[in-house]
């Protein structure tokens, strides 16, 4: 998922009081997974945990899950690893449309709603009803988008291909600052703040 037009502000470090006039594109979803599954049918999909075992190995996943749950609990996220994983392209279209309709503010709300559905509520982002509900609780009407699969299709594919090709992204999160500088992986707020200050 590509979040466009993000302004770096106090949210990058609550105690800094710093507001920086730069733009950040934050890639918060696995494009590699999206493209690997883009030919998968829409709908409920396959068992999430079984998919993770197959892709990453059972031992690695079993080590990862307790750690992720502890980290999630510390920030109020209740990670749950039941549910299914499916073709997620329509969720990317939804995120694109959110930006078109309401800019970064609406896009943020839609992404948070999608993440909550997938990571906490064990819902499949391949199901139209789930996407509709996610959009609704974010304050967005996604009816036209979900009824016409051509809406945003070309734009979303172009955006995904641009980030995958230009920046050789292999993992997330991945930040592109002012179209020039990149940060790969989860970074402490202090490191992000330092990078932003160096840019200026």
């Amino acid at each position: 998922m590509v979040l466009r037009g993000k302004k770096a502000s106090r949210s990058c470090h609550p105690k800094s009081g710093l507001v920086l006039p730069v733009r950040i594109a934050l890639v918060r979803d696995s494009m590699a997974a999206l493209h690997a599954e883009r030919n998968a049918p829409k709908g409920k999909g396959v068992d999430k945990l079984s998919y993770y075992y197959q892709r990453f190995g059972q031992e690695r996943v079993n080590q990862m899950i307790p750690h992720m749950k502890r980290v999630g609990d510390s920030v109020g996220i209740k990670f749950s690893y039941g549910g299914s994983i499916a073709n997620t392209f329509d969720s990317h279209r939804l995120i694109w449309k959110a930006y078109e309709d309401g800019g970064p503010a609406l896009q943020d709300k839609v992404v948070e709603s999608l993440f909550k559905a997938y990571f906490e509520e064990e819902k499949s982002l391949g199901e139209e009803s789930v996407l509709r509900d996610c959009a609704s609780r974010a304050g967005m009407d996604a009816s036209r988008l979900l009824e016409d699969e051509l809406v945003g299709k070309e734009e979303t594919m172009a955006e995904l291909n641009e980030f995958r090709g230009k920046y050789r992204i292999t993992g997330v999160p991945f930040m592109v600052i002012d179209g020039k500088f990149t940060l790969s992986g989860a970074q402490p707020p202090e490191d992000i703040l330092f990078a932003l200050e160096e840019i200026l």
Side-chain angles (χ1 to χ4, degrees), residues 26-94:
L26 174 58
V27 183
R28 283 174 34 171
D29 195 6
S30 174
M31 289 189 221
L34 167 67
H35 283 267
E37 300 299 325
R38 64 192 249 186
N39 294 320
K42 298 178 182 180
K44 188 173 182 179
V46 299
D47 180 75
K48 184 193 301 183
L49 196 56
S50 296
Y51 175 86
Y52 287 167
Y53 283 161
Q54 181 180 10
R55 185 168 182 193
F56 302 112
Q58 184 170 346
E59 182 177 356
R60 181 182 174 190
V61 171
N62 287 342
Q63 292 174 346
M64 173 189 72
I65 288 177
H67 171 70
M68 290 299 298
K69 286 187 173 182
R70 285 194 299 271
V71 173
D73 285 344
S74 71
V75 292
I77 300 172
K78 301 298 181 183
F79 283 114
S80 182
Y81 291 88
S84 303
I85 186 170
N87 187 310
T88 61
F89 185 70
D90 283 344
S91 72
H92 291 258
R93 288 199 303 126
L94 179 61

Side-chain angles (χ1 to χ4, degrees), residues 6-25:
K6 297 286 292 179
K7 273 193 177 180
S9 66
R10 293 182 181 87
S11 62
C12 73
H13 196 302
K15 295 182 180 180
S16 72
L18 185 65
V19 179
L20 302 175
V22 299
R23 292 287 179 178
I24 299 176

Side-chain angles (χ1 to χ4, degrees), residues 144-196:
R144 180 170 174 267
L145 177 87
L146 297 174
E147 290 167 1
D148 185 351
E149 64 181 17
L150 295 180
V151 175
K153 180 178 180 180
E154 290 187 7
E155 294 89 343
T156 302
M157 282 304 306
E159 190 172 74
L160 291 170
N161 288 334
E162 175 191 357
F163 276 84
R164 184 181 66 166
K166 184 176 182 179
Y167 299 106
R168 307 290 183 186
I169 298 173
T170 58
V172 291
F174 188 95
M175 283 178 279
V176 182
I177 305 172
D178 271 4
K180 305 172 186 177
F181 306 94
T182 62
L183 285 174
S184 180
Q187 304 287 339
E190 293 79 7
D191 290 354
I192 297 173
L193 180 62
F194 177 79
L196 293 170

Side-chain angles (χ1 to χ4, degrees), residues 2 16 31 102 125 134:
V2 181
S16 72
M31 289 189 221
L125 300 186
C134 286

